[in-house]
Amino acid sequence: MPLDVDHDPLDRSRFPVDEWALTETRFDADDLGVTESLFSVGNGYLGLRGNYEESRDAHVDGSYVNGFHETWPITHAEEAYGFARIGQTIVNVPDAKVIRLYVDDEPLQLSTADLLDYRRTLDFRTGVLSRTLLWRTPSGTRIEVKSTRMVSLTQRHLAVMTFEVTLLDGHGPVQISSQVLNRQDLPKEGPEAKAAAGIADPRKAEAFRGRVLLPRESRGDVETGRLTLGYQTAASGMTLGMVTDHILDTANPYRATVHADDDSAKMIYRIQAQPGVPIRLTKLVSTHTADSVPPRELIDRCERTLDRVAEAGVDQQYVEQREWLDAFWARCDIEIPGQPEIQQATRWNLLAIAQASARAETYGVPAKGVTGSGYGGHYFWDTEIYVMPFLTYTMPYAARNALRFRLSLLDYARTRAGELSQKGALFPWRTINGHEASAYYAAGTAQYHIDADIAYALSQYVGATGDTEFLDQAIDIFVETARLWADLGFWRTQPSGERTFHIHGVTGPDEYTAVVNDNLYTNVLARFNLRRAVEAVEALAEGDPAAYADMVRRTGLEGDEVTEWGECAQGMFIPFDEHLGIHPQDDHFLEREMWDLANTPASVRPLLLHHHPLVIYRFQVLKQADVVLALYLQGEDFTPEEKLKDFEYYDPITTGDSTLSAVVQSIIAAEVGYQDLAYRYFLSALYVDLANRHANTADGVHVASTGGLWSALVGGFGGFRDHGSDEREAQFTIDPRLPEQWESLTYRITLSGNRIRVTVRPTELELIVEEGEGSVTFVVRGESVTVSGAAPVTVALDGQGPRIPGSPKAPSEIVREDGTVISSVVPTGDTRRMPVPTGHTFPA
């Protein structure tokens, strides 16, 4: 059920159109949380929310390090064997963004200040957040304040900030207090201190009940301008070191003092400011974390980082940042000429993925990146299905790092499978440290599809890069996940004598339907997982007997297992209803009543915040695309007719309560012919965060949605598909669906070291090798096309696929094959049934 979306939902008097930047032209205290997320800067390891340096106006003053977390015991009202025991939540690390400003002892507080001018910009080409404002103090003095903030993409542990103050008229005392505050354990201030009212939201991070960061070192040196803090988390035992250097540049006379205690460190500058004489403070921050390394050693690492910066010069950090981003945009940019609003939003989303993943390296990609504490800083299956395609085809090194992280958790996954009485490995649905952190198993641990999602991402990476060296080790993932599916499923003999393989008691991607039998998505992806494991093991045995023997030693693989996996894949039961001509989401899905979304008030959306799970589980209603996602990921296993029928059935009963949904619905809507609908879904996904469509951007950027947006552009409108592993013919296909509003769409795909630029126009497709010495073959609407060298290859296109107007309509009732009637209703809390509607239409 798509949202009513505007082509451009942003207030352009406040956020002007700029294809290479997001700029805010006036301060507004009403949406601080949203803008803090939108103007965050990060590199995948370290992230700083877009808080104001000198102001206490904040929704959440946040600084985060990927993977740095505290643990806490999960308390279950009723215990049972195998429940998750230890919760994990990302920690708000000491905040080095703070730079308080006082002029004539008057503090700069943006919400009460007389601001004559204000402008804040996140530059997509430099990764620098800058802000300029003109403040008139109560005494009438005008002061220009400029600041910049950057988290380095080349120096993983470094953040660089500047703060410049100039009195434009008059003179007087100025005080700048540059601070590092342990906000995790200090009392909250301002709006942040207000208790959250209303409905409990499982998407938010859990609050800690006791002290989190135990002080291990705190000191300041007024001569060098260096502040040093070291901590260890109370329960998880993780350690952190943070060192901050200061450089004050001014012709005004000043004196400096320093203060340090357990939860703060400050450099305080008192300046006798003269009119027109700037005061410029440069603040360099290095942060290192570890599982158990003593904070003193981490502080040594921070000091080495800052010493390197001092040797190279601060200006060099900006040069390297620009060079990194120039290379990023050369590989990753998507160009949509003539659509400046769309172009701006697209580039913001692409930069958001880089800021969430580029330097994650030994960690995963959190659901909110390093922009907030939403979802507790956990890693989900979102990474493999929504973020990994972008990384695999544009930043393969980052994709490899993400897969190496999953591989490092394999032993934990083996243990978890054993706890659930299974062979092989079961990766956690949500985690930071490798242990399952979902207290609600029905919508958490039961999502066994996480195994197949990881196997899918691994297969996709190897197929796109040819990195068989990595596969020699990562093949253990294929082996252990295939092992789990073969053990989890069972055989059943049909009346016809056919033996089919079934998987019961699982939850698919759609969390509104939990613990079911033969979930279609799970079965389809498990079948892929089994097939791919067979292929990988057989290829390794034939191509590298020594590596094969090493794998057998590590995994204890027995020969008959591989044969069993092939049989399980061959016999996998794929639900299909001949009467309706669709694939049921699970074995009993079509027996449920249908939820009447058209007559469901907006006040009770999203459903998960207003209805008990058992209420939702009884209905045909989806939180997010489930079957439709399978149609995309394994499209070669479904006919065009099946895709159309499935989409038309499931789209009207999909709430879109998950930000993961719109991108997939857009892709399949475009493929089957609902191209106007596809465009609306695309717009909905494009502005998930920029327009705060799900009312929780304040908790951080929806990283999976930003990754999915890339897939919507490249896989949906751009028509690119990767149909399997590197062993299959016709692996890469292109069948574009260019929106009528667009004159062209250009994207880049990196395959085996060759970067291919793909340009879709209404009547042609152009392919050219931008970088690389090899050749790549695509199948474009059935025609094999090979591109190599510098010469472009152009393929004529006969239109942009089928076009079906409007959107699928939900039927008021469905008559099943046995004559029973399934009707649409709205759960209301009393015994009366709502009138059966005639369906709903998509808002114009």
Side-chain angles (χ1 to χ4, degrees):
M1 181 180 178
L3 297 171
D4 184 10
V5 293
D6 299 322
H7 173 73
D8 184 11
L10 297 186
D11 177 359
R12 291 305 179 181
S13 68
R14 182 183 175 196
F15 300 103
V17 176
D18 183 335
E19 295 186 359
W20 283 104
L22 179 67
T23 294
E24 180 187 40
T25 61
R26 67 173 182 270
F27 171 82
D28 192 334
D30 291 337
D31 60 356
L32 287 173
V34 174
T35 55
E36 286 166 11
S37 294
L38 298 184
F39 288 101
S40 292
V41 290
N43 62 11
Y45 171 75
L46 173 64
L48 306 178
R49 280 177 67 80
N51 306 114
Y52 297 105
E53 296 90 340
E54 67 288 279
S55 179
R56 288 179 169 82
D57 298 297
H59 176 75
V60 173
D61 275 299
S63 300
Y64 302 97
V65 172
N66 189 356
F68 188 73
H69 68 280
E70 179 65 310
T71 56
W72 44 274
I74 298 175
T75 302
H76 298 276
E78 297 184 16
E79 290 288 353
Y81 178 80
F83 278 10
R85 297 296 174 196
I86 303 297
Q88 307 140 44
T89 302
I90 195 168
V91 172
N92 191 352
V93 302
D95 184 5
K97 302 188 301 293
V98 185
I99 305 175
R100 309 279 193 219
L101 173 63
Y102 303 84
V103 178
D104 285 329
D105 294 328
E106 292 289 341
L108 175 56
Q109 177 84 359
L110 266 63
S111 57
T112 58
D114 181 7
L115 296 179
L116 305 179
D117 191 23
Y118 171 96
R119 190 174 185 87
R120 177 165 59 160
T121 298
L122 176 61
D123 190 315
F124 305 155
R125 286 171 291 200
T126 64
V128 175
L129 175 67
S130 60
R131 193 208 59 194
T132 301
L133 59 85
L134 186 59
W135 170 38
R136 181 166 53 199
T137 68
S139 63
T141 303
R142 292 178 305 132
I143 298 139
E144 183 182 62
V145 182
K146 298 179 180 179
S147 65
T148 66
R149 185 183 304 162
M150 178 184 81
V151 173
S152 175
L153 289 156
T154 59
Q155 300 277 349
R156 186 177 186 231
H157 302 274
L158 177 69
V160 180
M161 290 164 260
T162 66
F163 191 79
E164 184 175 306
V165 180
T166 306
L167 274 62
L168 300 185
D169 42 35
H171 58 84
V174 171
Q175 178 172 302
I176 296 175
S177 177
S178 175
Q179 307 177 15
V180 183
L181 300 179
N182 172 18
R183 295 190 183 278
Q184 183 66 66
D185 294 305
L186 287 174
K188 302 296 186 289
E189 300 177 335
E192 196 175 349
K194 296 179 181 178
I199 301 165
D201 189 340
R203 299 169 297 185
K204 295 182 179 292
E206 296 80 4
F208 297 108
R209 296 181 179 178
R211 186 175 178 95
V212 174
L213 294 173
L214 305 178
R216 294 291 182 258
E217 190 158 347
S218 175
R219 67 178 185 272
D221 188 328
V222 71
E223 297 298 326
T224 63
R226 176 165 285 185
L227 304 176
T228 302
L229 292 171
Y231 292 94
Q232 184 170 26
T233 54
S236 71
M238 295 193 75
T239 50
L240 175 145
M242 181 177 288
V243 178
T244 305
D245 278 354
H246 296 81
I247 305 168
L248 188 70
D249 182 16
T250 183
N252 294 299
Y254 72 91
R255 63 187 178 91
T257 58
V258 68
H259 169 82
D261 59 31
D262 286 349
D263 289 316
S264 68
K266 304 177 183 179
M267 281 295 302
I268 301 169
Y269 299 94
R270 295 179 173 89
I271 306 113
Q272 293 299 319
Q274 301 300 312
V277 181
I279 306 162
R280 180 180 175 86
L281 177 66
T282 300
K283 190 172 185 178
L284 307 171
V285 185
S286 179
T287 306
H288 284 256
T289 58
D291 289 339
S292 58
V293 175
R296 176 64 256 179
E297 183 176 333
L298 296 179
I299 288 168
D300 290 343
R301 296 178 188 178
C302 293
E303 290 175 338
R304 287 196 295 271
T305 298
L306 294 178
D307 290 345
R308 286 198 308 272
V309 172
E311 291 172 4
V314 175
D315 290 345
Q316 183 62 24
Q317 308 312 312
Y318 294 101
V319 171
E320 292 176 2
Q321 183 90 338
R322 177 61 187 256
E323 290 174 349
W324 193 98
L325 281 165
D326 284 347
F328 170 81
W329 290 115
R331 295 190 311 270
C332 308
D333 194 19
I334 296 177
E335 299 166 52
I336 311 164
Q339 302 289 330
E341 298 88 355
I342 303 296
Q343 185 71 77
Q344 177 189 36
T346 295
R347 287 188 175 130
W348 180 89
N349 277 269
L350 295 178
L351 181 63
I353 314 175
Q355 294 195 140
S357 62
R359 301 306 305 271
E361 296 176 3
T362 54
Y363 298 102
V365 180
K368 295 290 190 176
V370 281
T371 65
S373 62
Y375 295 107
H378 292 167
Y379 317 126
F380 294 80
W381 68 288
D382 309 11
T383 298
E384 280 70 30
I385 297 303
Y386 292 87
V387 179
M388 282 292 289
F390 169 82
L391 300 181
T392 291
Y393 299 116
T394 65
M395 299 168 62
Y397 77 90
R400 193 179 200 268
N401 285 334
L403 289 167
R404 285 182 65 246
F405 171 72
R406 285 295 193 186
L407 181 61
S408 74
L409 304 181
L410 186 57
D411 281 342
Y412 294 130
R414 290 182 175 116
T415 299
R416 185 58 174 159
E419 291 173 348
L420 274 76
S421 304
Q422 305 294 161
K423 299 177 182 177
L426 178 60
F427 285 92
W429 178 66
R430 65 186 299 172
T431 190
I432 297 178
N433 62 12
H435 297 287
E436 178 63 79
S438 175
Y440 185 51
Y441 73 88
T445 298
Q447 294 202 42
Y448 283 70
H449 66 84
I450 179 69
D451 269 19
D453 301 328
I454 293 171
Y456 180 88
L458 172 60
S459 177
Q460 190 175 67
Y461 167 78
V462 174
T465 64
D467 188 356
T468 55
E469 179 187 26
F470 177 67
L471 182 59
D472 286 350
Q473 294 297 318
I475 193 172
D476 293 10
I477 291 177
F478 284 145
V479 170
E480 299 292 10
T481 53
R483 215 172 234 162
L484 177 124
W485 294 121
D487 185 53
L488 179 64
F490 64 93
W491 290 95
R492 175 176 291 167
T493 302
Q494 303 296 331
S496 63
E498 178 188 9
R499 294 177 72 239
T500 51
F501 190 74
H502 298 259
I503 299 173
H504 283 189
V506 300
T507 299
D510 168 38
E511 295 158 25
Y512 284 179
T513 312
V515 192
V516 299
N517 297 339
D518 288 320
N519 169 256
L520 180 116
Y521 176 91
T522 302
N523 285 17
V524 167
L525 269 292
R527 179 174 64 181
F528 168 84
N529 192 165
L530 289 159
R531 287 172 174 168
R532 187 66 179 93
V534 171
E535 178 185 288
V537 170
E538 291 179 346
L540 187 65
E542 180 180 345
D544 193 338
Y548 173 78
D550 197 28
M551 179 271 291
V552 170
R553 177 189 57 78
R554 293 192 307 267
T555 64
L557 179 69
E558 298 179 1
D560 59 351
E561 286 189 89
V562 180
T563 301
E564 180 188 11
W565 300 342
E567 292 172 349
C568 293
Q570 181 67 28
M572 185 69 70
F573 177 70
I574 305 298
F576 187 76
D577 185 280
E578 296 285 353
H579 176 66
L580 295 177
I582 67 163
H583 293 89
Q585 184 167 294
D586 60 72
D587 199 29
H588 297 287
F589 187 79
L590 298 181
E591 297 173 10
R592 303 181 181 100
E593 287 186 286
M594 300 186 73
W595 193 302
D596 176 16
L597 290 179
N599 287 318
T600 299
S603 60
V604 295
R605 304 282 293 275
L607 302 185
L608 82 163
L609 299 186
H610 301 273
H611 295 275
H612 192 284
L614 287 176
V615 176
I616 299 173
Y617 294 164
R618 296 184 184 115
F619 285 83
Q620 293 186 46
V621 63
L622 281 61
K623 181 185 178 188
Q624 63 202 68
D626 191 304
V627 171
V628 172
L629 180 57
L631 302 180
Y632 171 50
L633 299 182
Q634 291 290 278
E636 64 271 31
D637 289 338
F638 300 90
T639 68
E641 294 76 20
E642 288 172 341
K643 292 179 184 180
L644 177 60
K645 290 285 286 186
D646 284 341
F647 180 80
E648 290 182 329
Y649 188 89
Y650 288 106
D651 188 72
I653 60 173
T654 302
T655 64
D657 287 348
S658 169
T659 58
L660 303 180
S661 197
V663 290
V664 177
Q665 289 169 277
S666 176
I667 292 168
I668 297 301
E671 180 178 347
V672 301
Y674 283 98
Q675 298 197 31
D676 290 340
L677 178 61
Y679 194 66
R680 287 184 171 274
Y681 275 129
F682 164 74
L683 291 177
S684 177
L686 183 67
Y687 292 104
V688 157
D689 288 310
L690 289 167
N692 192 24
R693 292 205 176 278
H694 286 248
N696 66 344
T697 297
D699 298 326
V701 169
H702 295 83
V703 174
S705 180
T706 66
L709 184 82
W710 180 89
S711 293
L713 284 162
V714 173
F717 301 146
F720 173 75
R721 295 288 190 280
D722 180 344
H723 284 305
S725 74
D726 54 339
E727 302 297 323
R728 299 181 60 163
E729 296 181 2
Q731 180 182 350
F732 305 118
T733 66
I734 300 178
D735 186 3
R737 299 288 189 271
L738 187 70
E740 287 186 327
Q741 303 93 320
W742 294 1
E743 61 186 65
S744 67
L745 167 68
T746 298
Y747 59 91
R748 281 94 176 154
I749 295 287
T750 298
L751 301 169
S752 298
N754 301 288
R755 188 172 75 232
I756 313 299
R757 187 181 71 215
V758 182
T759 300
V760 182
R761 302 185 184 94
T763 60
E764 65 180 16
L765 178 75
E766 181 184 271
L767 304 170
I768 188 169
V769 179
E770 283 191 329
E771 183 178 271
E773 302 294 329
S775 64
V776 178
T777 297
F778 298 90
V779 173
V780 181
R781 295 186 180 176
E783 177 185 348
S784 182
V785 179
T786 299
V787 56
S788 62
V793 175
T794 302
V795 181
L797 297 176
D798 183 13
Q800 295 293 324
R803 292 194 178 274
I804 304 173
S807 59
K809 305 300 186 292
S812 59
E813 62 180 30
I814 293 175
V815 180
R816 301 184 70 246
E817 189 173 12
D818 61 5
T820 57
V821 176
I822 305 295
S823 56
S824 296
V825 297
V826 177
T828 60
D830 63 30
T831 57
R832 293 177 291 110
R833 293 293 190 184
M834 296 287 288
V836 175
T838 58
H840 74 273
T841 58
F842 186 73

